[in-house]
Structures are given as structure tokens and as C-alpha cells.
Amino acid sequence: MTSTPANKTHRVGFVSLGCPKATVDSEHILTQLRAEGYDIVSSYEGADLVVVNTCGFIDAAVEESLDAIGEALDENGKVIVTGCLGAKGDIVKQTHPNVLAVTGPHATDEVMQAIHQHLPAKHDPFIDLVPPQGIRLTPRHYAYLKISEGCNHRCTFCIIPSLRGDLVSRPVNDVLLEAERLAASGVKELLVVSQDTSAYGVDVKYRTEFYNGMPVKTRMTELCEALSQFGIWVRLHYVYPYPHVNEIIPLMAEGKILPYLDIPFQHASPKILKAMKRPASSENTMKRIKQWREICPDITIRSTFIAGFPGETEEDFQQLLDFLDEAQLDRVGCFAYSDVDGAKANELDGAVPEEVKQERVARFMEKQAGISANKLKRNIGKIRDVIIDVIDDEEKMIVARTSSDAPDIDGLVYIEMPENNHYKVGDITQVTITDTDEYDMWAELQ
Ligand code: SF4
């Protein structure tokens, strides 16, 4: 066990695993730690204690999280566990009985309590150490903005509601204040995340709050409108195709928020969508997509799908392929269904054999690769705005993204670096697209 002299700042190591929502939790804990005068260190040896923020979504993530906890215990010995795995019964304590404390996700206060217990905070907190925008784990030029926690739906393949509970929306004035600070600190792109962005405010009956003396409703449309005042890119993730989503498409057409909708459709067969208990499964999705494109022809629609859900017949799968042909979605991911411990879908009849699932994923991806290649080709010769993610001095290359591409999940734009390069990460500039493949593009600076 490492001891800390009374006059020395406590040092906390941090391991952050999991999805963007877990990253936001990590950022909140790190911000609080810095606010209270703790030092954040990057090695186990240098730390007085280690916090591991875990993921418990699929079996592979559970294993990765348990391994990370084991490693932190071996290397340091004092470990506090937080995150989704912490909410999954006794699994952490059973596997690693020596951890100091275990909390679920979204539990900054409980984590801080456990830290106070094992590393009492200094009497005089160094509030000034905290930059006003807090501590972020994502690069400086983009940041995740979490607007709510939990979910009111009960999709049969998902255990998030049992891990994170029902929807709890953050007050809209808090969200806007965070966005304002992020913009002031140099962030150029906000990625709005939640489990169900279109449900924002349902739990508080769309309550009106006040931001800078102006009334704003806790509701997706009003939030988007208000976020547009910061003059930076705003990108929406995890939106469901409810009728009121139509209200935000004009904001996209007017350039107030990015013309980008991340909508996890998951399937196209009504029978499978019903078995999945998907939100808005009875909506006429194709009709909505057509309406959105009429209002905002430049809209990029991204989605994810599951192939091989229990009961999926060849006919159901064919419906999904036909939907892809008709919908011509821009950015698409597909996963083979796999049982998640505790999910209702595990009890459904009609399990699809593993090789059939894999074969369906391959057929799906082949079809989408053709659609994506054709759609990207239409960019050749066009001028597009891009945000710069990487300046690679060694390869003499600038790596950027268009407004159609979210960081980490979508495509990239490769640009040859000019002589005497003056561009920097986070700059937004214009390029002419010169070449494309299935997912990425190449361009010249304007
Ligand atoms: S909408 Fe469905 S998949 Fe998404 S978090 Fe809620 S229950 Fe899970």
C-alpha cells in the first residue's frame, strides 16, 4: 500500500473503458477530482489509488473490465470500481474481493465518497486548478455532451435500463452552460449523446428552465435551437424516428445544427422489430426518411442493425436487405446478434446458428459497401467543409472529417499537407473531394 505524506497532493490513477456515455462519466469524475485538488497520474506506480470505470454491455466488455480491475489490483493494490459492470450484481466483488468500493454508472458522488474515505481530501480544495470547461478525455476540438441518463424503453436485447434505470434528463440550463463552457474552451464540435435523444425531457414533462434569463424547454427541438447559438458543429446521436424528429430537420436545412442523424434502426422486418420491442417500431420509417430528405437534401443518415436476431428467417433478412436498397442510408454498421447476460431476448425461440448470422452480416456489409461507395462517389469534384482531426507531420498528411462523418465511427478525408502548413487540429476548412472508396475520401485544400 502506498502512503502519502500529509503535505503531498494525493494522486489518483484512472482507467476509462466503455462507450462515449461512460467517457462522459469519467470526465465528470476527473473534473471533480481536480476540483478537489487531487492529481491525476498516468501510471499505476505513481498513484495512491486507481479508479476503473468499467463497461458491462457484452460478455467481451465484462471480461475486459474484470481484467483491467485485476491488473490495477496487481500493480497498485488500491482500486475503486465504477461504471456499468458495477451495477451487474456481485460479479466484481466475487471476482476481485479486494477492491475498495464498487458503484454503478453515473455515480460521481459515490465514487468521490469512496475516494474521500480512502484518500481524505485536503482541507483547502484547489478549485482554481480546474479549467472552466472541466477535464475531457476526447481531443480538445470535439466533446461529448450527455443530455440524459437511462432509458424508458425495454428493447429485448438490451440491459441498459436495468443497469442505468429509467430516463433522467439533465436540466436544459445545465446542458447549455456546459456547452457554453466547452465552446469557450475551444471545442468546435459537440456530440450530443444519451440512450434516447428524442425522449429528452419526457421525464420532466418538458419543463421550462432559464438560461441567461431566457426560457428554454427541456425538449430536443428547443435544445438544438439553443445549442446552435454557440456557432460550433452540433451532431445528434441516438435519435429514434418519432414524429417530432421532423421538427429538427428544418434546423439542419438552415445550417443551425449538422445535417446528420444517427438513428439505430436495428432491423426492417416488422416482426423482428416487434420481437425486439424497439421504440417507434410501428412508424413508417421509409416515409419519414423520404420526408427528411425532401426538407434537407444534404442530410446524412447513419444507422446500426442487428443480423441473426432470434426468429429471423431468410425472408425477414431479405426485408432488411430490401430496406437498405430503398433507404440508401449513408453510414451503416451491422452486428451479429449475441446473447447478453440478463437480456429478455435470450429466452426467445428460433436462435439463428452462428454461421448463418455471420453469413448474413457479410451479405449485409457487401450490399451496404456498394451503396456507400456509390453515394461517396457523388462527392467527387464537390467542395466540402471538413474539421481537422490529425496533422501527421511524418506522413505529410492531414486527416479530417466532413459534416457527414462522426469521429471514431464514420469515414475520414485524407488531404496532402501543403508546404509551410499552417493548419492545426480543430480547424474547419474547405476542400475539393478528388477520390473516394467505400468509406473514406481524398481531397485537396481549397
Ligand atoms: S432504446 Fe432500447 S437499446 Fe436503447 S438503451 Fe433503451 S432499451 Fe437499450
Side-chain angles (χ1 to χ4, degrees):
M1 208 156 69
T2 328
S3 71
T4 309
N7 60 347
K8 206 165 143 248
T9 308
H10 289 310
R11 295 152 307 182
V12 177
F14 207 98
V15 179
S16 184
L17 305 168
C19 66
K21 281 150 271 186
T23 305
V24 174
D25 285 352
S26 295
E27 289 169 356
H28 286 163
I29 298 168
L30 288 169
T31 299
Q32 193 55 37
L33 281 167
R34 286 289 299 276
E36 296 189 13
Y38 291 89
D39 266 354
I40 315 296
V41 294
S42 55
S43 68
Y44 290 124
E45 314 85 68
D48 299 313
L49 175 156
V50 177
V51 179
V52 183
N53 187 6
T54 58
C55 176
F57 188 47
I58 54 168
D59 292 348
V62 171
E63 224 164 88
E64 188 194 10
S65 294
L66 289 174
D67 286 352
I69 298 166
E71 190 181 296
L73 278 170
D74 288 347
E75 299 285 331
N76 182 280
K78 290 178 87 176
V79 176
I80 291 171
V81 176
T82 182
C84 285
L85 187 60
K88 276 186 125 180
D90 287 342
I91 183 164
V92 176
K93 279 277 188 193
Q94 273 167 7
T95 320
H96 297 298
N98 292 334
V99 295
L100 299 175
V102 182
T103 84
H106 200 44
T108 306
D109 289 348
E110 283 112 299
V111 173
M112 291 310 299
Q113 268 172 25
I115 292 172
H116 294 158
Q117 193 188 335
H118 297 281
L119 285 183
K122 299 287 176 205
H123 177 60
D124 183 14
F126 295 103
I127 301 289
D128 293 346
L129 289 179
V130 189
Q133 74 281 9
I135 311 288
R136 277 177 282 112
L137 299 177
T138 41
R140 239 181 84 77
H141 62 294
Y142 64 85
Y144 294 98
L145 184 67
K146 186 154 78 171
I147 60 168
S148 62
E149 186 57 52
C151 180
N152 287 346
H153 301 294
R154 296 292 181 264
C155 301
T156 51
F157 56 80
C158 176
I159 53 164
I160 283 176
S162 60
L163 292 181
R164 300 202 158 206
D166 280 344
L167 176 82
V168 178
S169 300
R170 285 182 65 197
V172 68
N173 47 332
D174 278 6
V175 174
L176 291 171
L177 213 55
E178 184 175 346
E180 181 189 312
R181 286 185 186 145
L182 289 166
S185 77
V187 162
K188 301 286 176 47
E189 178 178 5
L190 289 175
L191 307 152
V192 176
V193 293
S194 70
Q195 308 296 347
D196 178 0
T197 296
S198 22
Y200 180 56
V202 166
D203 54 319
V204 293
K205 303 199 171 48
Y206 306 120
R207 192 168 54 211
T208 299
E209 306 278 358
F210 287 84
Y211 168 71
N212 278 346
M214 298 293 289
V216 190
K217 268 189 172 183
T218 312
R219 193 167 173 274
M220 181 175 63
T221 310
E222 283 79 356
L223 173 69
C224 291
E225 184 85 53
L227 286 173
S228 71
Q229 70 186 281
F230 301 118
I232 56 177
W233 284 12
V234 175
R235 190 184 294 284
L236 299 187
H237 287 285
Y238 315 118
V239 177
Y240 290 98
Y242 293 111
H244 71 278
V245 172
N246 287 15
E247 295 172 15
I248 53 171
I249 311 298
L251 302 182
M252 297 182 177
E254 291 165 32
K256 290 187 167 174
I257 59 172
L258 290 182
Y260 181 98
L261 261 192
D262 176 8
I263 302 201
F265 291 121
Q266 306 299 18
H267 215 282
S269 146
K271 181 189 103 191
I272 298 295
L273 286 169
K274 203 162 162 229
M276 288 177 167
K277 290 214 173 124
R278 289 297 287 164
S281 62
S282 57
E283 294 292 330
N284 185 337
T285 305
M286 220 33 255
K287 195 168 138 212
R288 291 221 175 280
I289 293 175
K290 282 182 185 149
Q291 282 172 346
W292 297 337
R293 288 192 172 132
E294 270 162 31
I295 303 167
C296 181
D298 291 337
I299 193 168
T300 296
I301 303 174
R302 139 164 275 279
S303 193
T304 48
F305 293 87
I306 295 174
F309 189 78
E312 184 190 73
T313 59
E314 178 56 29
E315 198 189 332
D316 295 317
F317 180 67
Q318 196 52 52
Q319 272 188 47
L320 178 53
L321 294 184
D322 293 346
F323 172 79
L324 281 189
D325 270 332
E326 198 184 349
Q328 295 283 305
L329 302 176
D330 302 271
R331 309 281 184 269
V332 171
C334 182
F335 305 95
Y337 170 80
S338 76
D339 277 351
V340 174
D341 226 8
K344 286 260 178 295
N346 306 352
E347 294 152 24
L348 295 175
D349 291 337
V352 177
E354 197 51 43
E355 62 277 13
V356 177
K357 286 186 209 165
Q358 296 304 337
E359 181 251 356
R360 287 181 185 166
V361 170
R363 279 160 67 199
F364 180 107
M365 289 315 288
E366 197 187 331
K367 174 164 286 293
Q368 183 57 32
I371 293 170
S372 178
N374 274 335
K375 295 204 86 170
L376 282 193
K377 213 181 274 172
R378 291 180 213 153
N379 282 279
I380 295 178
K382 287 203 174 136
I383 297 173
R384 301 279 322 249
D385 285 346
V386 294
I387 187 165
I388 295 177
D389 280 339
V390 177
I391 302 277
D392 185 341
D393 286 315
E394 230 163 73
E395 299 289 325
K396 295 270 168 255
M397 187 67 80
I398 294 175
V399 185
R401 283 176 290 113
T402 66
S403 59
S404 308
D405 298 288
D408 297 331
I409 49 175
D410 293 330
L412 297 169
V413 182
Y414 296 97
I415 307 153
E416 205 176 305
M417 194 187 288
E419 292 286 324
N420 305 320
N421 171 50
H422 64 273
Y423 289 100
K424 31 184 214 320
V425 168
D427 281 353
I428 294 176
T429 187
Q430 289 196 319
V431 297
T432 306
I433 305 296
T434 53
D435 200 6
T436 58
D437 66 9
E438 283 110 330
Y439 305 108
D440 297 320
M441 305 199 269
W442 284 258
E444 281 167 4
L445 288 158
Q446 274 285 290

